[in-house]
Amino acid sequence: MKIPLYLEWLHPETDQDELRPFYASPASAGFDLKAAADLLIAPGATVLVPTGLRMAIPEGYELEIRPRSGLSLRSRLRLPNTPGTIDSDYRDEVKILAYNSFSQAEIPALLAAQSALLQSFGKIAECLPLREYLEQRGQSEAVHSLPGKMAELPVYLDEAGELWGSLRIKRGERLAQALLKPVAQAEFKDSEDISAFGEDRGGGFGHSGI
């Protein structure tokens, strides 16, 4: 069954061919969403990735934003509010909440394990104290607020001078998948004893009752 989903391009002269969402196969449940801009996501950072699209989601449906399994396997990119929900009355640009879950504290373990992430992040080109890194970026005030010896902790940079482990998102890259799903709204009714409705499995919070 096909449900109409109307798209509005924010930059119609450049976006449509490169950024159009699509189903990867005839049986795909979700369609791929692409990044509309080049972005750098530093380790530990969370950003909103634009898609260049506004959508008219039909009433009675929601759009669920979910991770792409292949991208989650190959990188540290995560979608922290999975699944994200876009309501049928939302008419602003669709954006993807993306998080770089890598921490530079993991570097010794990655080296010991010869992780594939070592190749994906490239060469560690420089190591300098956190104090010096912040000063080079005009954040000297932040240095004075660091407790104890934190200012001397090592910071690793890649060959472009960015934090090693930064994720580089390219315009047109497939970042997420979206599912169009029917929804029902609840009609709230007070009751003195909800055990009269349905079954009670028992067991309490976080327990299956078995």
Side-chain angles (χ1 to χ4, degrees), residues 36 39 54 65-66 74 87 102 114 134 171 208 210:
L39 291 172
R54 289 162 38 125
I65 309 299
R66 301 183 181 184
R74 297 189 306 271
D87 298 309
F102 178 73
Q114 290 297 298
L134 292 173
R171 175 184 165 87
S208 66
I210 299 175

Side-chain angles (χ1 to χ4, degrees), residues 11-104:
H11 305 285
E13 68 283 358
T14 59
D15 286 351
Q16 295 190 35
D17 291 336
E18 188 177 9
L19 302 181
R20 181 172 294 278
F22 72 100
Y23 289 95
S25 75
S28 294
F31 59 84
D32 288 338
L33 285 173
K34 302 177 182 180
D38 294 333
L39 291 172
L40 183 82
I41 310 178
T46 301
V47 302
L48 274 175
V49 182
T51 65
L53 281 170
R54 289 162 38 125
M55 299 184 182
I57 301 167
E59 186 176 351
Y61 288 82
E62 64 156 341
L63 202 62
E64 282 192 0
I65 309 299
R66 301 183 181 184
R68 294 184 58 240
S69 55
L71 189 58
S72 297
L73 176 66
R74 297 189 306 271
S75 77
R76 288 299 179 85
L77 183 74
R78 302 291 182 264
L79 307 189
N81 64 329
T82 302
T85 294
I86 301 177
D87 298 309
S88 62
D89 57 356
Y90 178 79
R91 289 296 183 273
D92 290 317
E93 182 178 9
V94 173
K95 295 184 178 181
I96 303 165
L97 194 61
Y99 167 59
N100 183 352
S101 64
F102 178 73
S103 168
Q104 290 204 346

Side-chain angles (χ1 to χ4, degrees), residues 155-190:
V155 172
Y156 301 93
L157 304 182
D158 61 23
E159 293 179 298
E162 302 292 347
L163 289 171
W164 194 84
S166 294
L167 294 174
R168 289 168 171 81
I169 306 301
K170 295 181 180 180
R171 175 184 165 87
E173 184 175 350
R174 296 181 295 156
L175 283 193
Q177 57 180 336
L179 278 71
L180 186 63
K181 301 189 68 176
V183 294
Q185 285 192 332
E187 181 181 356
F188 301 105
K189 295 185 177 182
D190 294 334

